[in-house]
């Protein structure tokens, strides 16, 4: 079920999983030259802009890819539910075309600006729309001349607008998969008749992490670096401590962030047999750990 920051909706509808790729700075075949390996660029830097990078002294180039969901609400769309009258209804196929065709007119590289661009343009085009929610999830490609899929973590942005105001503007990164070979402990928890888990002073830690934040500017690149820095920088006594350190570091280092929400899964690997350092994928169920911080 989709939710709206503005509250309960009697009805809504839209188009989901609209895939769009914009190729930025594609060089015509007649002008192509063999790439210089010394100028191949930094793959991590290319990813930082969602696959849109800049060659030495040249214009932006790369792949801007997104999976877009657009949802509409308004009284003008209610008759299609009650009587099948589609007079004011915008077909969801038209919404798909709008997203894909208007992407050519978007000249930015961040998801936040992209969502706002689509929402404002759609509201201006279709006055019967009272409110709109647009979410875009990056489809990352990294490289300079040849590109490969990025990930597994993917940034996203979401905006909800009405005719009166921006109701919500939220961003985040989903799908971090973080691994430490040591420096993680878990001990001293409650022990009773239901406890079988032993204390652990030093374990390999494998955790998945999703983050959401409220910030008026795009910061996904900075957050990616911060998450990896914090995860590697100290020995933890719990996953809860890890996500608290990440959240507080975000508020300390990025003053524009007003709130941050984190949710981690404990996906620490299971030992395969007795002795040795051979592990296998963990069996379900998984620990889920959440945290919300505000200024």
């Amino acid at each position: 079920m989709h939710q709206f920051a503005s509250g309960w909706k009697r009805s809504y509808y839209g188009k989901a999983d609209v895939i769009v790729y914009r190729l930025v700075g594609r060089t015509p075949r007649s002008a192509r030259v063999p790439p210089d390996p010394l100028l191949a660029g930094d793959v991590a830097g290319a990813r930082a802009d969602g696959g849109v990078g800049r060659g030495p002294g040249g214009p932006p180039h790369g792949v801007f890819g997104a999976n877009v969901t657009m949802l509409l609400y308004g009284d003008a769309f209610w008759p299609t539910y009650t009587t099948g009258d589609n007079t004011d209804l915008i077909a969801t196929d038209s919404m798909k075309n709008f997203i894909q065709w208007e992407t050519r007119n978007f000249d930015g590289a961040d998801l936040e600006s992209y969502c706002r661009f689509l929402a404002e343009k759609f509201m201006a085009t279709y006055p019967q729309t009272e409110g709109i929610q647009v979410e875009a999830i990056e489809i990352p490609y990294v490289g300079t001349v040849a590109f490969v899929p990025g990930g597994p973590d993917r940034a996203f942005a979401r905006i909800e607008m009405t005719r009166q105001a921006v109701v919500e503007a939220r961003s985040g990164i989903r799908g971090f998969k973080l691994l430490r070979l040591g420096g993680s402990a878990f001990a001293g928890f409650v022990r009773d008749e239901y406890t079988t888990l032993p204390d652990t002073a030093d374990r390999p830690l494998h955790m998945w992490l999703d983050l959401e934040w409220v910030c008026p500017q795009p910061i996904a690149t900075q957050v990616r670096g911060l998450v990896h820095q914090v995860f590697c920088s100290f020995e933890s006594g719990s996953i809860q401590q890890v996500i608290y350190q990440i959240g507080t570091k975000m508020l300390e280092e990025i003053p524009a962030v007003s709130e941050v929400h984190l949710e981690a899964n404990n996906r620490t690997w299971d030992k395969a047999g007795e002795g040795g350092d051979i592990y296998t994928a963990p069996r379900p169920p998984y620990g889920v750990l959440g945290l919300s911080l505000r200024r």
Side-chain angles (χ1 to χ4, degrees):
M1 294 287 184
H2 292 279
Q3 304 292 326
F4 295 85
S6 57
W8 176 85
K9 296 289 175 284
R10 178 175 63 172
S11 66
Y12 62 88
Y13 82 104
K15 201 73 165 180
D17 283 336
V18 180
I19 307 300
V20 60
Y21 301 101
R22 190 191 67 199
L23 306 185
V24 182
R26 192 169 74 92
T27 304
R29 180 180 295 273
S30 60
R32 294 176 196 170
V33 295
D36 184 341
L38 297 179
L39 302 178
D42 178 18
V43 167
R47 169 64 196 277
D49 291 323
V52 179
R54 185 182 297 270
H61 64 276
V63 181
F64 177 87
N67 181 326
V68 180
T69 297
M70 177 181 283
L71 301 174
L72 316 178
Y73 53 87
D75 290 341
F77 309 130
W78 185 238
T80 196
Y81 287 88
T82 57
T83 65
D85 180 356
N86 300 325
T87 301
D88 289 321
L89 191 77
I90 305 123
T92 64
D93 188 69
S94 301
M95 295 167 66
K96 177 261 296 178
N97 292 338
F98 177 94
I99 293 166
Q100 293 176 336
W101 298 354
E102 285 299 330
T103 297
R104 77 186 69 176
N105 297 318
F106 173 68
D107 58 6
D110 63 272
L111 295 173
E112 289 83 357
S113 299
Y114 179 58
C115 288
R116 185 167 191 137
F117 168 81
L118 290 176
E120 290 180 341
K121 186 71 178 285
F122 196 93
M123 293 276 281
T125 304
Y126 299 102
Q128 68 267 47
T129 303
E130 295 177 18
I132 185 170
Q133 183 189 85
V134 178
E135 180 178 88
I137 304 170
E138 73 169 334
I139 305 176
Y141 278 83
V142 297
T144 53
V145 177
F147 293 80
V148 297
D153 55 288
R154 296 189 173 193
F156 77 91
R158 180 173 65 249
I159 191 169
E160 182 185 351
M161 299 177 62
T162 66
R163 293 285 165 188
Q164 291 73 42
V166 173
V167 180
E168 178 190 46
R170 186 175 294 268
S171 308
I173 302 175
R174 300 177 183 135
F176 277 111
K177 295 186 177 181
L178 305 168
L179 173 66
R180 283 187 65 131
L181 300 185
S184 173
F186 189 59
F189 44 86
V190 172
R191 292 203 164 274
D192 58 20
E193 66 271 26
Y194 301 107
T195 307
T196 59
L197 185 70
D199 285 352
T200 304
D202 187 29
R203 61 176 177 174
L205 174 62
H206 187 222
M207 58 175 273
W208 295 4
L209 178 65
D210 296 338
L211 300 93
E212 292 190 4
W213 58 80
V214 175
C215 183
Q217 60 199 45
I219 59 169
T221 299
Q222 190 174 355
V223 172
R224 279 194 173 100
L226 185 149
V227 167
H228 287 288
Q229 176 192 358
V230 172
F231 187 71
C232 297
S233 65
F234 76 103
E235 296 189 358
S236 64
S238 64
I239 293 176
Q240 289 93 325
Q241 186 184 14
V242 174
I243 62 176
Y244 178 78
Q245 291 293 325
I246 292 172
T248 55
K249 190 79 167 175
M250 282 185 63
L251 293 178
E252 289 171 5
E253 294 198 358
I254 312 176
V257 173
S258 59
E259 63 181 71
V260 58
H261 307 273
L262 307 94
E263 184 173 288
N265 276 198
N266 183 355
R267 300 290 178 131
T268 298
W269 296 334
D270 294 332
K271 276 212 164 190
E274 297 297 326
D277 287 328
I278 305 301
Y279 292 82
T280 188
R283 299 181 300 274
Y286 310 108
V288 179
L289 313 113
L291 175 70
S292 295
L293 298 171
R294 290 176 175 166
R295 293 195 182 279

